[in-house]
């Protein structure tokens, strides 16, 4: 068993709203909380809190509260923070939807989570309203953040002036959010995270994330994904930093905003590091305000991290996390430049973990020198999810009776106590840090009349980390091409889930139990 090198943090037994906003001082209320990157519009902490209260009041006036699920479908804009925290403040549960989802993908999440109300933005109204129709959400229950004829706008709700409700629940068991993750196998599942899970993960990061009210933090990592949700919307706001939102990643705009807004800290995923290390555009901007960066969501190559540090002169931390862990469990602390950037550092406060030999089930120990053998990483702490929504079996397969979450990642521990992710046991593919569930693409491929069987695995890719590769068995007489397969998939899924390589095979290798032997395919 490995314990965090940090003393336990006290985890306040309060709601996310009480943790972040209840006791805002007058000084903090005057600080800037959010800056809209494209326009420069600012929202203070005091204004944000007032909007959250008003939105909670408007939701309560519509009968929305404890037991209701409200979907939030938007790229990063300042109003996302109002809606996210307003939903939680009302006692309802938020489910955040990827802004690039197709109707099929979004409808599935709305139905599975039983969402009864939906917040979206005007450019996404077509997908949002078609998905809502599938899920039985009426048009009156679709709220458009930036306003749109025929729909209620966020502004309309805030203008009602309804008082925030007094809600009372147990933060440890009340579900705050349901992001979706495929976990170790199968389709995306609703990850139920409690208020305490979210509060805990912010508190647990105290010793390793040096972010203060002096910081100006670029927020382009999507708030709908657990990384942006906890680290930006919760942790950065808890420290009273300023968040500068960008609705999408565009390298030129990203660099321009860092320069103009004097950004001091940037949270990234590895593909952005590739651009920062190599792209000529980077030299045309003054990025000297940036003092720190952290990468997470996919493996960071050590030489790549070092190249970014050498070019920009910034510290590069790496974090490891998982939706089911709210998400952070390991981080390279800011004061440990001696550690390899290819590691994920140490378990954060209140974390215990094990590395378990996949063949024998034996626990592996820290070696006196070098690195341990690799095994599956198991994690326990106050940030472990409550469970998957409506999926008892998957929950039991993921969180054991002792409370350890089996990550499905293969790690080793080094003699200095640092951890390193070396492989993945689970099916998951990570395209630019975004989840792609092979089972979902396989099920889609099997709906094609000319496809007899299919398997999807990760193929390493220098720019994206991994790309989904499909192995396809054609039906007899079919002349289906690689291009046909890619086009077919692209018509049904969000861009990050596109199949980007195809190979035709005679048969999908399977075990006697019918499980796809992915390892056999990964090598081909
Ligand atoms: O569920 P998910 O999409 O969750 C994430 C969360 C990543 C975060 C969040 C906050 C941080 O501060 C931070 O540093 C990282 O990605 O996908 C979980 C899976 O992504 C892979 C691994 O397979 C997880 O099970 N993954 C995430 N981070 C790393 C990683 C990493 N640093 N190195 C290797 N794989």
């Amino acid at each position: 068993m490995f314990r965090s090198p940090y003393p336990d943090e006290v985890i306040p037994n309060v709601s996310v709203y009480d943790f972040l906003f209840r006791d805002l001082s007058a000084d903090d209320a005057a600080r800037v909380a959010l800056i809209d990157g494209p326009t420069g519009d600012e929202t203070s902490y005091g204004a944000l809190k007032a909007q959250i209260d008003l939105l909670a009041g408007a939701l309560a006036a519509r009968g929305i509260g404890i037991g209701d699920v409200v979907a939030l479908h938007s790229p990063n804009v300042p109003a996302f923070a109002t809606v996210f925290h307003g939903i939680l403040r009302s006692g309802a549960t938020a489910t955040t939807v990827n802004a690039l989802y197709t109707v099929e993908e979004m409808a599935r999440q709305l139905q599975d989570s039983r969402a009864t109300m939906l917040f979206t933005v005007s450019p996404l109204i077509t997908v949002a309203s078609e998905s809502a129709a599938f899920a039985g959400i009426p048009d009156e229950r679709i709220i458009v953040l930036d306003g749109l004829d025929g729909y209620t706008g966020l502004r309309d709700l805030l203008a009602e002036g309804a008082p925030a409700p007094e809600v009372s629940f147990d933060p440890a068991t009340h579900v705050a959010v349901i992001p979706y993750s495929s976990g170790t196998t199968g389709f995306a599942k609703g990850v139920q995270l409690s208020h305490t899970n979210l509060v805990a993960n912010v508190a647990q990061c105290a010793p390793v994330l040096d972010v203060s009210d002096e910081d100006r933090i670029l927020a382009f990592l999507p708030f709908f994904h657990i990384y942006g949700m906890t680290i930006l919307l919760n942790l950065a706001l808890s420290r009273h930093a300023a968040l500068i939102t960008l609705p999408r990643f565009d390298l030129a705009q990203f660099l321009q905003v860092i320069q103009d807004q004097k950004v001091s800290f940037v949270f990234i995923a590895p593909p952005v590091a590739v651009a920062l290390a190599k792209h000529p555009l980077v030299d045309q901007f003054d990025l000297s305000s940036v003092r720190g960066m952290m990468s997470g969501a996919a493996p960071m190559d050590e030489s790549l991290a070092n190249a970014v540090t050498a070019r920009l002169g910034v510290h590069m931390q790496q974090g490891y996390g998982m939706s089911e862990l709210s998400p952070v469990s390991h981080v390279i602390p800011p004061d440990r430049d001696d550690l390899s950037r290819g590691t994920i550092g140490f378990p954060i406060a209140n974390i215990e973990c094990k590395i378990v030999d996949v063949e024998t089930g034996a626990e592996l120990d820290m070696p006196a020198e070098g690195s341990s053998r690799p095994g599956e990483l198991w994690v326990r702490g106050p940030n472990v999810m409550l469970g998957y929504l409506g999926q008892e079996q998957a929950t039991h397969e993921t969180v054991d009776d002792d409370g350890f979450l089996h990550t499905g990642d293969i790690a080793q521990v080094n003699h200095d106590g640092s951890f390193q992710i070396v492989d993945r046991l689970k099916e998951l593919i990570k395209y630019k840090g975004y989840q792609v569930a092979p089972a979902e693409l396989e099920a889609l491929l099997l709906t094609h009349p000319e496809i007899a069987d299919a398997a999807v695995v990760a193929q390493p890719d220098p720019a994206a980390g991994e790309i989904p590769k499909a192995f396809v068995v054609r039906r007899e007489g079919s002349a289906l091409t690689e291009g046909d397969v890619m086009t077919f998939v692209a018509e049904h899924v969000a861009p990050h889930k596109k199949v980007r390589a195809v190979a035709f095979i005679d048969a999908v290798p399977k075990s006697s139990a019918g499980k796809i032997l992915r390892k056999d395919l990964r090598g081909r």
Side-chain angles (χ1 to χ4, degrees), residues 280-303:
L281 209 54
V282 173
D283 292 326
Q284 293 174 28
F285 294 86
D286 175 7
L287 308 181
S288 59
S289 56
V290 181
R291 64 177 182 87
M293 281 196 192
M294 177 155 111
S295 173
M300 174 67 128
D301 182 67
E302 180 178 11
S303 58

Side-chain angles (χ1 to χ4, degrees), residues 181 225-227 231 294-300 318-324 327-328 344 407 409 421 424 426 428 430 433 435:
S181 163
H225 181 250
I226 193 70
Y227 186 0
I231 297 297
M294 177 155 111
S295 173
M300 174 67 128
Q318 178 166 200
Y320 164 87
M322 185 171 162
S323 304
E324 291 84 343
V328 189
I344 53 167
T407 65
D409 290 306
I421 303 293
R424 205 181 285 134
K426 57 189 169 190
L428 181 67
K430 276 276 172 133
Q435 288 203 5

Side-chain angles (χ1 to χ4, degrees), residues 180-191:
Y180 273 67
S181 163
S182 63
T184 52
T185 181
F187 280 53
K189 295 173 271 293
V191 178

Side-chain angles (χ1 to χ4, degrees), residues 311-374:
R311 190 173 189 191
L312 303 181
V314 298
H315 289 277
M316 176 71 82
Q317 294 178 253
Q318 178 166 200
Y320 164 87
M322 185 171 162
S323 304
E324 291 84 343
L325 293 171
S326 309
V328 189
S329 68
H330 290 69
V331 174
I332 300 182
D335 56 350
R336 289 296 299 269
D337 282 344
D338 57 308
L339 284 189
S340 155
R341 305 291 102 175
T343 76
I344 53 167
F346 307 108
I348 60 172
N350 312 58
I351 290 285
E352 298 169 304
C353 47
K354 296 180 183 179
I355 296 182
V356 178
D357 187 308
V358 178
E359 304 296 323
T360 65
E363 267 185 56
L364 301 171
D365 287 329
M366 194 155 92
E369 53 189 85
S371 307
S372 74
R373 273 187 295 133

Side-chain angles (χ1 to χ4, degrees), residues 19 21 75 106-107 109 161 187 204 244 268 300 327 346 363 405 429-430 436 441 453 506:
F19 181 62
F21 302 108
M106 180 166 174
Q109 182 172 339
F187 280 53
Q204 290 171 274
I244 299 131
I268 63 168
M300 174 67 128
F346 307 108
E363 267 185 56
L405 183 128
I429 300 170
K430 276 276 172 133
V436 182
L441 294 179
D453 205 356
D506 295 333

